[in-house]
């Protein structure tokens, strides 16, 4: 059987390449911009990227490439970025790598253990935040992870301008989409080109990917390049390049007609013509691929079918285990697949399809029973040897969940889904965790009686699913799940647990806009959690209630509750709860006119947060204290707090999350002190965190005031 053929030279794409090289030049000069390279399957996106990568490398640039895969609900969080980081760890001198990773090493190590991450996973059972603020493992922790990625890219780009390619974003998992969105918004001066490739055919207007890309395209720097089909002369040039000389008479015209200018279809049609009768060329690409598959030997077909179900690149050991055949036999079949241009070997020595379309055709030919049995064999092989997956525990868990589900093994699918959801939470991939936990919940009633979770285990699943939905932005679903968990708790037997859950329900109600119903739940929490002996749980629900009251401007009521929360936290030795309660109490006191007492509480909150964490607690304490000191005209003290807050945000990896408002605050104080040049420098630093040079509302106000005082009225008005 003849294989496909590839042109040794890139055909056409002169304008597109010029735009890509111009973007790289801009990035090297400190003007990065994201680019989407879009086109139908087989149009030549990967080939164009390969040519661009070669040119970038030839000019001394660095190229980093990661790809997304069609894994459906079994998506692995941050898959393309993990691939990039794993390659970086494998190919970089340890000392150089440590310098590039900097303080973000622990966070990045959650994605790729080879980078030397923390020993344990993030806590998936974080308590609900008492004041509705972020807790470790929530959005703040993910912001720290995202900033670690951004800082790493910036450091690498400083050494050599960087081309960062994320291929096949139409298959991107939710966590990867979120990280790409963050990079699009926050790559401002780094010498980095972020290049995304998209297979545009098959995407409807309601597809989540389409909505996501529409949001990205709102960024004024975002550029989209749509690859069109080749013209007839270009198809002729491609055929000539493939054959290495003039094509036989009568060959180009039917290939042009059938392919309609799709370069990959041209390659396959040339191979088909050389193998048989050119006059009977298949009419569609799927037809030509199916005709090629009919002619392959049974061992090669078995390998292709196994790889089609695995989806991810795999080595001979996994394929051998799935097919229960010797590695030597599998290796021979793989070599035949390489010769036939159906497979290729990646840089890690793993086998993958030459083109995604080949995989899709192979999978489509499988009968339901064949597909189910192959999924079962893959899951069995990975369960026996997780190392065959080639990735960390999070990736293995997601793979097992996908394969056991497709194999129809409900008990194994349920357990793997739990593991996959927990692993996703550990890397703050909340939407991915939602998919896994929701699958587990859907399987509960289908499990055999002996395999169903105990009430305690079901409560834990509901809690984790609620946390994941909340962090992913679906508060209504989080509220529904929290209520389901509450129903399973006996208030008489476990009053403290029931109280904590009522407090969670109260927070979720407030987040959905029903603050009055939320206050009812907070009061019920106080009735249930015992006042004696003092406990962190009691301090937490008190603080949560106080925060809810303060949010409704009921400062006197909030003051009394927060004072009780402080006393309870002190007695229980609950330092983080004490810091939060003092922070809220300080705000209440200032609002009630007791400014000195309020500022003293805020100072205590900041001091305790510095001793105990979590990171965002300290930064918010600096921010609030500086704001109230500014409001009381204690400008020098306020300036010191704002500066300390900015330093802490940088040190703790939260500069992008809090940096604009902290810069605005520091700039505001400097303007009032008459130190205009310093205010200009600080607020410009804040603006550089926003690619649109607008900044937060507060930052825009401060910049406007500064321009007005300088007499720059047009700029102030803008």
């Amino acid at each position: 059987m003849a294989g496909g053929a590839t042109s040794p030279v890139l055909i056409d794409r002169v304008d597109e390449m010029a735009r890509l090289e111009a973007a790289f030049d801009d990035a090297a000069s400190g003007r990065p911009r994201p680019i989407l390279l879009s086109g139908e399957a087989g149009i030549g996106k990967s080939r164009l990227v390969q040519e661009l990568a070669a040119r970038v490398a030839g000019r001394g640039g660095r190229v980093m490439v990661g790809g997304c895969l069609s894994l459906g609900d079994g998506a692995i969080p941050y898959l393309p970025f993990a691939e990039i980081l794993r390659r970086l760890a494998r190919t970089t001198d340890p000392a150089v790598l440590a310098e590039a990773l900097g303080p973000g090493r622990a966070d990045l190590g959650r994605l790729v253990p080879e980078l030397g991450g923390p020993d344990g996973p993030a806590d998936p059972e974080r308590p609900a935040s008492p004041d509705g603020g972020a807790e470790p493992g929530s959005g703040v922790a993910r912001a720290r992870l995202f900033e670690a990625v951004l800082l790493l890219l910036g450091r690498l780009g400083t050494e050599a301008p960087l081309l960062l390619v994320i291929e096949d974003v139409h298959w991107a998992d939710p966590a990867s989409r979120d990280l790409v969105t963050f990079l699009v918004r926050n790559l401002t001066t780094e010498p980095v080109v972020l290049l995304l490739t998209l297979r545009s055919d098959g995407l409807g207007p309601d597809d989540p990917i389409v909505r996501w890309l529409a949001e990205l395209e709102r960024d004024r720097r975002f550029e989209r390049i749509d690859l069109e089909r080749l013209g007839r002369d270009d198809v002729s040039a491609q055929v000539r390049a493939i054959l290495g000389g003039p094509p036989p008479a009568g060959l180009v015209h039917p290939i042009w007609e059938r392919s309609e200018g799709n370069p990959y279809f041209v390659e396959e049609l040339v191979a088909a013509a050389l193998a048989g009768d050119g006059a009977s060329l298949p009419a569609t690409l799927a037809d030509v691929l199916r005709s090629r598959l009919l002619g392959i030997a049974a061992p090669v077909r078995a390998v292709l079918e196994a790889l089609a179900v695995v989806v991810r690149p795999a080595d001979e050991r996994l394929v051998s285990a799935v097919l229960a055949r010797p590695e030597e036999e599998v290796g021979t079949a793989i070599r035949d697949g390489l010769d036939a241009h159906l497979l290729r070997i990646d840089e890690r020595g793993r086998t993958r399809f030459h083109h995604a379309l080949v995989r899709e055709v192979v999978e489509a030919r499988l009968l339901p029973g064949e597909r189910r049995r192959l999924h079962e064999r893959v899951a069995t092989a990975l369960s026996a040897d997780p190392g065959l997956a080639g990735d960390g525990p999070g990736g293995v868990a997601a793979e097992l969940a996908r394969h056991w589900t497709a194999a129809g093994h409900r008990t194994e699918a349920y357990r793997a889904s739990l593991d996959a959801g927990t692993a996703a939470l550990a890397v703050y991939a909340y939407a991915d965790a939602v998919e896994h936990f929701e699958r587990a919940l859907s399987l509960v009633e289908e499990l055999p009686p002996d395999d169903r979770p105990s009430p305690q285990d079901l409560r834990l699943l509901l809690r984790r699913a609620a946390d994941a939905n909340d962090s992913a932005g679906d508060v209504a679903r989080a509220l529904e799940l929290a209520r389901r968990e509450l129903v399973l708790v006996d208030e008489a037997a476990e009053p403290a647990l029931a109280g904590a859950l009522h407090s969670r329900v109260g927070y979720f109600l407030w987040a959905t806009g029903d603050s009055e119903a939320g206050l009812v739940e907070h009061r019920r929490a106080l009735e249930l959690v015992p006042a004696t002996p003092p406990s962190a749980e009691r301090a937490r629900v008190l603080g949560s209630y106080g925060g809810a009251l303060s949010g409704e401007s009921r400062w006197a009521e909030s003051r009394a509750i927060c004072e009780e929360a402080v006393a309870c936290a002190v007695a229980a030795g609950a330092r983080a709860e004490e810091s939060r309660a003092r922070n809220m109490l300080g705000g209440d006191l200032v609002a009630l006119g007791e400014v000195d007492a309020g500022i003293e509480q805020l100072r205590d909150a900041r001091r305790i947060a510095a001793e105990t964490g979590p990171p965002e607690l300290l930064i918010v304490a600096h921010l609030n204290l500086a704001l109230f000191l500014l409001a009381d005209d204690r400008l020098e003290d306020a300036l010191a707090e704002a500066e300390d807050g900015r330093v802490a945000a940088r040190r703790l990896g939260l500069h992008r999350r809090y940096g604009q408002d902290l810069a605005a605050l520091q700039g505001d104080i400097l303007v009032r002190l008459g130190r205009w040049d310093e205010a200009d420098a600080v607020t410009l630093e804040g603006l550089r965190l926003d690619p649109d040079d607008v900044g937060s509302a507060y930052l825009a106000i401060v910049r406007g005031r500064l321009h007005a005082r300088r007499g720059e009225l047009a700029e102030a008005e803008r």
Side-chain angles (χ1 to χ4, degrees), residues 48 60 66 187 273 350 379 459 479 481 483 509 578 648 668 687 692 717:
L48 183 57
L187 281 167
R350 302 169 305 178
R459 292 202 309 259
L479 173 60
L481 293 166
R483 282 174 162 162
L509 283 166
E578 180 187 352
D668 192 358
L687 278 181
D692 292 323
E717 183 176 350

Side-chain angles (χ1 to χ4, degrees), residues 475-602:
V475 183
R477 177 60 174 164
L479 173 60
E480 178 186 348
L481 293 166
R483 282 174 162 162
R484 283 179 60 183
E485 182 186 0
L486 186 55
V487 169
L488 298 175
V489 176
D490 184 341
E491 292 187 353
E494 298 180 279
L497 175 59
L501 288 173
H502 276 288
S503 183
R504 278 166 58 80
V505 170
Y507 166 64
F508 290 144
L509 283 166
W510 170 83
T512 56
D514 195 347
S515 56
E516 284 302 318
L519 290 174
V520 171
E521 293 291 336
H522 286 302
R523 286 192 285 270
R524 180 57 180 156
L526 288 183
E527 293 172 358
L528 287 166
V529 180
T532 56
S535 64
E537 291 78 10
R538 175 74 179 181
R540 194 173 297 129
V541 297
L542 282 165
S544 186
Y545 184 33
L549 289 168
S550 182
E552 295 297 303
S553 301
R554 294 162 65 169
W555 296 302
E557 295 173 76
S558 176
R559 170 185 181 170
I561 295 297
C562 289
E563 286 175 339
E564 186 179 349
V566 169
C568 180
V570 169
R575 300 286 278 165
E577 285 73 18
E578 180 187 352
S579 178
R580 286 192 179 87
R582 288 190 186 278
N583 204 328
M584 289 183 289
L585 176 58
D588 292 336
L589 290 171
V590 172
L592 293 168
E594 300 180 35
V595 177
D596 288 341
I599 287 176
E600 190 60 33
Q601 291 292 335
L602 289 161

Side-chain angles (χ1 to χ4, degrees), residues 397-436:
E399 288 282 85
L400 286 172
R402 177 171 71 91
H403 291 298
W404 283 128
T405 299
H409 287 240
R410 292 178 175 82
T411 297
E412 290 83 354
Y414 169 78
R415 293 170 180 165
S417 296
L418 291 180
D419 292 341
T422 302
L425 282 186
V427 292
Y428 322 123
Y430 305 119
D432 301 65
V434 166
E435 291 181 354
H436 295 302

Side-chain angles (χ1 to χ4, degrees), residues 30-371:
R31 299 188 304 276
R33 50 188 160 119
I35 299 177
L36 176 68
L37 186 61
S38 172
E40 65 181 318
I43 202 65
K45 300 179 293 296
S46 295
R47 182 61 188 275
L48 183 57
V49 168
Q50 291 169 8
E51 181 68 23
L52 174 65
R55 296 188 185 190
V56 165
R59 294 170 54 182
R62 180 192 293 265
V63 180
M64 302 173 73
V65 182
C68 308
L69 293 171
S70 177
L71 299 175
D73 290 341
I76 299 171
Y78 309 111
L79 178 61
F81 293 95
E83 180 182 352
I84 288 168
L85 291 172
R86 191 169 288 111
R87 186 180 300 118
L88 183 69
R90 195 172 59 249
T91 59
T92 307
D93 177 86
V96 175
L97 180 64
E99 178 69 22
L101 294 173
R105 182 169 200 150
D107 288 305
L108 295 172
R110 293 194 183 279
L111 300 186
V112 178
E114 293 94 322
L115 296 177
D119 293 333
D123 181 9
E125 301 178 64
R126 58 186 174 89
S129 174
D131 58 354
E135 289 282 350
S138 70
V140 170
R142 187 168 74 161
R144 195 171 60 244
L145 170 65
F146 284 12
E147 186 147 342
V149 173
L150 179 65
L151 291 174
L152 171 63
L153 296 177
R155 292 189 189 99
L156 295 174
T158 300
E159 296 174 3
L162 172 62
L163 172 64
L164 177 67
V165 183
I166 307 297
E167 293 193 292
D168 299 322
V169 295
H170 46 280
W171 290 323
D173 66 278
S176 294
R177 295 202 299 267
D178 289 342
L179 181 47
V180 167
T181 300
F182 175 84
L183 294 176
V184 167
R185 296 287 182 261
N186 291 283
L187 281 167
T188 52
T189 59
E190 295 82 359
V192 178
V193 172
L194 175 60
L195 176 59
L196 314 175
T197 71
L198 171 76
R199 177 172 156 184
S200 56
D201 49 318
L203 293 176
D206 296 328
D207 194 294
I209 296 294
V210 173
R211 296 196 296 271
W212 170 61
L213 291 172
E215 181 65 25
L216 293 185
E217 290 185 47
R218 293 175 58 186
D219 189 292
R220 62 182 175 81
R221 302 168 306 146
F222 196 90
E223 182 176 358
R224 179 168 183 153
I225 299 176
D226 293 305
L227 292 185
E228 304 296 337
R229 295 182 177 184
L230 300 178
R232 176 168 179 158
D233 290 344
D234 292 324
V235 168
S236 178
Q238 183 184 3
V239 174
R240 174 186 290 269
I242 291 172
L243 297 176
L251 179 62
V252 171
H253 182 71
I255 288 179
W256 153 248
E257 284 190 329
R258 302 288 200 283
S259 71
E260 297 181 335
N262 182 293
Y264 182 56
F265 198 0
V266 171
E267 292 179 0
E268 294 298 329
L269 286 172
V270 170
L274 295 177
D277 181 5
S280 59
L281 290 175
T284 69
L285 180 55
D287 288 338
V288 72
L289 292 175
R290 279 192 290 267
S291 68
R292 291 185 60 202
L293 293 173
L294 290 174
I296 63 175
V300 180
R301 183 181 298 110
V303 167
L304 294 175
E305 290 170 348
L307 290 171
V309 167
V310 170
V311 178
R312 304 181 65 195
D315 66 19
E316 296 175 13
R317 295 178 302 148
L318 177 57
V319 179
S320 176
V322 171
L323 298 179
R325 294 181 181 175
E327 288 186 32
E328 294 78 5
E329 181 181 329
V330 169
T332 299
I334 289 175
R335 183 174 297 280
D336 290 342
L338 295 172
D339 293 340
H341 214 57
L342 295 169
L343 300 174
R344 61 186 176 91
I345 303 295
D346 69 12
E347 63 177 27
R348 294 177 64 185
R350 302 169 305 178
T351 305
R352 61 194 309 162
F353 283 93
H354 174 70
H355 198 284
L357 289 171
V358 181
R359 192 203 71 79
E360 292 169 13
V361 170
V362 172
E363 185 180 36
R365 287 175 52 83
L366 289 170
L367 297 173
E370 293 174 325
R371 185 180 294 109

